[in-house]
């Protein structure tokens, strides 16, 4: 009950969002370095979206804005988490339709070194190669499915901050 009461302020919700993003990034790095699961290009884009969402949430928590500042941070979080949800949703679709995806593709680092950014972005969202392969599951859900769930939770948290009168009154 004390924990729920502490989450009534926007600042504590921003900190919680930051902590979630930090934990998710830590788990992603654990999967990469301890379990030797190399991230595909779409996974890397999702990591950037988690980092952006977390950094914005941390800055918002430290700043503890009022008025338009609150809506600016919420908008930025919604944009970052929404972009991540879009990429995760695309990868979930690719995993459920692997017959459409090409067999292999170069890694993100190679693509960025070899092609201009304008050509890399469309290649990323094709999700060729290992983006369609399910390499790890927990409770029957793949990594991008879990990412999509977490992006939606972060989006709902940001919208809660924007719409919850009691969290906004304490500012």
């Amino acid at each position: 009950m004390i924990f729920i009461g502490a989450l009534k302020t926007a600042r504590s919700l921003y900190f919680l969002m930051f902590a979630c993003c930090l934990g998710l990034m830590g788990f992603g790095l654990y999967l990469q370095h301890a379990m030797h699961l190399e991230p595909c290009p779409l996974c890397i884009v999702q990591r950037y979206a988690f980092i952006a969402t977390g950094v914005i949430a941390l800055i918002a928590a430290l700043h503890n804005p009022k008025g338009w500042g609150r809506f600016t941070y919420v908008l930025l979080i919604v944009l970052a988490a929404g972009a991540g949800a879009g990429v995760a949703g695309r990868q979930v679709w690719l995993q459920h339709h692997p017959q459409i995806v090409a067999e292999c593709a170069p890694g993100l680092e190679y693509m960025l070194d070899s092609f201009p950014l304008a050509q890399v972005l469309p290649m990323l969202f094709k999700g060729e190669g290992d983006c369609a392969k399910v390499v790890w599951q927990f409770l029957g859900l793949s990594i991008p499915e879990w990412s999509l769930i977490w992006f939606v939770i972060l989006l709902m948290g940001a919208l809660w901050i924007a719409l919850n009168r009691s969290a906004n009154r304490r500012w």
Side-chain angles (χ1 to χ4, degrees):
M1 213 39 126
I2 294 172
F3 179 73
I4 300 296
L7 292 179
K8 287 187 178 179
T9 66
R11 175 176 263 178
S12 60
L13 288 169
Y14 284 131
F15 273 125
L16 180 62
M17 293 169 74
F18 167 72
C20 287
C21 291
L22 186 64
L24 290 165
M25 282 304 304
F27 187 67
L29 292 172
Y30 167 78
L31 288 175
Q32 180 179 355
H33 296 290
M35 297 188 66
H36 307 289
L37 300 176
E38 286 300 315
C40 72
L42 291 180
C43 294
I44 292 170
V45 173
Q46 290 169 60
R47 284 185 181 186
Y48 286 131
F50 277 125
I51 291 169
T53 303
V55 167
I56 295 165
L58 177 63
I59 293 169
L62 296 174
H63 182 214
N64 198 20
K66 296 180 181 182
W68 284 103
R70 169 190 46 167
F71 291 110
T72 301
Y73 285 117
V74 166
L75 178 64
L76 291 173
I77 289 171
V78 165
L79 290 174
V87 173
R90 173 69 175 154
Q91 189 172 2
V92 167
W93 185 87
L94 290 170
Q95 287 184 340
H96 288 278
H97 300 90
Q99 67 277 9
I100 298 173
V101 181
E103 283 299 314
C104 59
L108 178 63
E109 190 173 321
Y110 173 79
M111 287 192 287
L112 289 173
D113 289 341
S114 303
F115 301 102
L117 186 61
Q119 289 179 353
V120 171
L121 290 176
M123 286 191 288
L124 277 178
F125 290 100
K126 280 184 188 174
E128 295 178 352
D130 57 354
C131 289
K133 188 189 316 180
V134 177
V135 294
W136 182 88
Q137 286 187 326
F138 179 69
L139 298 176
L141 298 175
S142 67
I143 295 170
E145 290 169 330
W146 280 110
S147 292
L148 181 58
I149 290 168
W150 278 104
F151 281 123
V152 169
I153 290 169
L154 292 166
L155 281 166
M156 290 185 338
L159 294 175
W160 177 260
I161 291 169
L163 301 174
N164 186 359
R165 291 187 186 271
S166 64
N168 297 330
R169 248 187 258 135
R170 295 186 180 215
W171 295 4

